Amino acid sequence: MSRMLHDKTFYRTFAILTLSLALQNLLTYSVNLADNIMLGRFSQDALSGASLCNQLQFFLQMLVQGVGEGVVVLGARYWGKKDLKPIPDIIGAGLRFGVSIAAVLFVLALLFPTQIIRLMTNDPVIMEQAVQYLQIICFTYVIFALTNMLTASLRSIGIVKIGYIISASTLCINICLNYVLIYGHFGAPALGVRGAAIATLVSRTVELLIVIWFLKFREHTLRLNWRKLLFIDTSYIKDYIHVSLPMLVTQTMWGASSIIQTAILGNMENAAMVVPANSISVLVFQILSVVGYGAASAAAIMTGRTLGEGHKERIDQTAFTFQIMFCIIGVFTGLIILLSRGPVLQIYNTLSPEAAELTRQFITVLAITSVGTCYQMAADCGILRAGGDTRFAMWNNLVFVWLICLPCAALSAFVFHFSPVVVFFCLKMEQLGKCPVIFLRVRSKKWIKQITR
């Protein structure tokens, strides 16, 4: 206890940021949850098809998050130094990378939808549903990147409320349009999976319009406008790339590994059961682990600001306190996920008995590994990256994900023909394996680096 901070302001700030960011994450994931539940009640095949496309969306989300974290890390440092002038230039650099990545994925999804989906499943019925969904949802990619990059720039200076205001409006619009377009209410045609994609496209467009309105009329700290974001001091691009590139590589590897995980599960013999079970269980984990992700983002902002203010003598206590809180959050998250199994299976009442039992087993695995996730992910993204140690995460993910988990899962699925739950555990075991490595890295203090001018 003597190593922990005894500053009420610290805990109050952490709690406010964590809960605000957790609420934003909850509302963001709830958009996918609404599609998931409402399509699940429409048909199991529609649910499976949309879930495959959501892997591409997750891949884009990981890339945009990697680009956005570079803005947050650098922006928080300059904010701590009370030097706001470079922040619009850093945001402008990040926007160029984020929008370019989204545009490339949009073109690929628009021109080659069948080829992309065929990589993730061999079931023709699921493939047909997925292609219908992807041909519409790909139009949200650039809109999604713009919105998330702009909200990340606000998060770097501690403005987080706009994030969940945007997400709440999106969720309401998405649910209402899903009800009308998926099932064909109020005289509309029953479009099924295409209706869900149209609803999401409209919701994402409204998101972007809200954030543009906020920047124009309500944001008075940075006073961002398109001129500031387009005509930037290009000398800051080098600083941005130095910090952000390793994070972008890490997020790319993580997003690509998620697609490969889906491909491994989707190409098993009983894919018709495995794909919906994986989709439901992973979404349940995302929804119920939002506090852990919120804590990571809050820690990144507070660590970056502390280092920017020059309080290096306090950083050891800050990092230790964060790690204790991450572990506590992880234990509670695991218990909540475990207790959610029954209610979740009652919601998805169209699942076959075999798929329902597999979903129960997958959720149990995630309840166990979530303890590790809430510690190592938050310590990595919230402490190490905020300190400027972005290369460590890149190598750590390369070893655990690509050299251990994916090969073990592929061998388990296609050589030894183990059960789906064993394969699923192989895909998630890196969440536990990373913990001691992350702990030793934080303790070493080698993660504190100079990244600002």
Side-chain angles (χ1 to χ4, degrees), residues 2-81:
S2 62
R3 292 187 62 190
M4 295 184 68
L5 286 170
H6 299 280
D7 182 354
K8 291 183 180 180
T9 302
F10 170 86
Y11 290 102
R12 183 166 57 250
T13 303
F14 178 75
I16 292 172
L17 284 174
T18 296
L19 293 177
S20 297
L21 292 164
L23 179 58
Q24 180 184 339
N25 288 333
L26 177 62
L27 293 169
T28 299
Y29 287 130
S30 293
V31 174
N32 288 338
L33 179 63
D35 284 353
N36 202 283
I37 292 175
M38 298 175 88
L39 284 173
R41 298 179 74 88
F42 182 78
S43 84
Q44 184 171 311
D45 292 330
L47 166 64
S48 299
S51 72
L52 292 182
C53 296
N54 285 336
Q55 292 304 310
L56 194 61
Q57 170 68 31
F58 179 75
F59 181 53
L60 172 63
Q61 186 173 331
M62 290 296 99
L63 297 180
V64 171
Q65 184 178 330
V67 175
E69 283 181 358
V71 174
V72 173
V73 169
L74 275 171
R77 281 287 187 97
Y78 280 110
W79 184 40
K81 294 173 67 176

Side-chain angles (χ1 to χ4, degrees), residues 23-31 162-172 204 207 210:
L23 179 58
Q24 180 184 339
N25 288 333
L26 177 62
L27 293 169
T28 299
Y29 287 130
S30 293
V31 174
I162 183 61
Y164 58 77
I165 292 172
I166 291 171
S167 299
S169 64
T170 303
L171 177 61
C172 295
R204 296 296 186 202
E207 268 188 347
I210 292 173

Side-chain angles (χ1 to χ4, degrees), residues 31 95 98 142 205 342 344 432:
V31 174
L95 276 173
V142 173
T205 303
V344 167
L432 299 174

Side-chain angles (χ1 to χ4, degrees), residues 180-191:
V180 174
L181 298 176
I182 292 176
Y183 305 110
H185 291 295
F186 302 112
L191 298 176

Side-chain angles (χ1 to χ4, degrees), residues 123-437:
D123 188 303
V125 178
I126 296 177
M127 189 183 300
E128 180 187 359
Q129 294 288 315
V131 169
Q132 290 183 38
Y133 188 80
L134 183 59
Q135 287 174 330
I136 297 172
I137 207 70
C138 66
F139 286 92
T140 67
Y141 290 170
V142 173
I143 298 171
F144 174 83
L146 276 170
T147 302
N148 279 266
M149 289 301 303
L150 290 172
T151 53
S153 68
L154 294 172
R155 198 165 66 244
S156 71
I157 58 170
I159 299 176
V160 296
K161 290 183 180 180
I162 183 61
Y164 58 77
I165 292 172
I166 291 171
S167 299
S169 64
T170 303
L171 177 61
C172 295
I173 295 170
N174 195 62
I175 290 175
C176 293
L177 290 178
N178 274 350
Y179 180 76
V180 174
L181 298 176
I182 292 176
Y183 305 110
H185 291 295
F186 302 112
L191 298 176
V193 72
R194 288 182 297 142
I198 293 170
T200 303
L201 175 58
V202 173
S203 303
R204 296 296 186 202
T205 303
V206 173
E207 268 188 347
L208 180 58
L209 292 175
I210 292 173
V211 76
I212 290 173
W213 172 85
F214 181 85
L215 288 171
K216 185 173 179 60
F217 297 106
R218 292 298 182 91
E219 196 283 308
H220 304 300
T221 303
L222 297 177
R223 299 186 181 275
L224 292 176
N225 54 51
W226 293 116
R227 177 175 293 277
K228 283 186 178 181
L229 297 176
L230 290 175
F231 301 100
I232 64 172
D233 182 348
T234 55
S235 66
Y236 285 99
I237 293 180
K238 183 178 179 180
D239 295 347
Y240 174 79
I241 291 174
H242 176 73
V243 172
S244 188
L245 186 60
M247 288 191 286
L248 181 58
V249 172
T250 301
Q251 298 299 109
T252 302
M253 291 193 298
W254 181 250
S257 73
S258 179
I259 294 176
I260 294 174
Q261 289 178 33
T262 303
I264 290 172
L265 295 170
N267 284 282
M268 294 182 71
E269 294 178 359
N270 43 5
M273 295 186 305
V274 176
V275 171
N278 177 57
S279 170
I280 294 168
S281 58
V282 170
L283 190 56
V284 168
F285 169 76
Q286 290 175 337
I287 292 292
L288 296 180
S289 62
V290 290
V291 176
Y293 285 93
S297 298
I301 294 169
M302 294 176 69
T303 302
R305 185 170 61 185
T306 300
L307 290 171
E309 291 170 344
H311 297 154
K312 292 186 178 180
E313 73 285 348
R314 192 185 182 190
I315 201 65
D316 184 45
Q317 274 189 300
T318 301
F320 182 80
T321 304
F322 277 143
Q323 290 179 88
I324 296 296
M325 291 191 288
F326 296 156
C327 290
I328 293 171
I329 290 170
V331 171
F332 277 100
T333 299
L335 289 173
I336 293 171
I337 291 174
L338 194 64
L339 295 172
S340 73
R341 294 176 300 175
V344 167
L345 293 176
Q346 289 179 357
I347 293 173
Y348 291 95
N349 53 12
T350 61
L351 292 176
S352 65
E354 295 82 4
E357 178 56 30
L358 203 55
T359 303
R360 180 185 295 274
Q361 294 174 359
F362 282 8
I363 293 176
T364 303
V365 170
L366 289 172
I368 296 169
T369 59
S370 65
V371 180
T373 303
C374 288
Y375 170 74
Q376 64 84 17
M377 177 274 303
D380 182 1
C381 300
I383 300 175
L384 300 185
R385 293 187 187 184
D389 191 14
T390 55
R391 293 180 183 273
F392 173 79
M394 180 178 69
W395 292 110
N396 198 30
N397 278 282
L398 175 65
V399 172
F400 276 99
V401 176
W402 290 88
L403 301 183
I404 298 176
C405 290
L406 292 179
C408 286
L411 290 172
S412 299
F414 306 122
V415 177
F416 301 113
H417 301 287
F418 289 152
S419 67
V421 70
V422 174
V423 177
F424 189 76
F425 178 77
C426 289
L427 292 171
K428 305 300 177 184
M429 63 183 179
E430 43 95 16
Q431 300 296 333
L432 299 174
K434 289 179 182 176
C435 290
V437 180

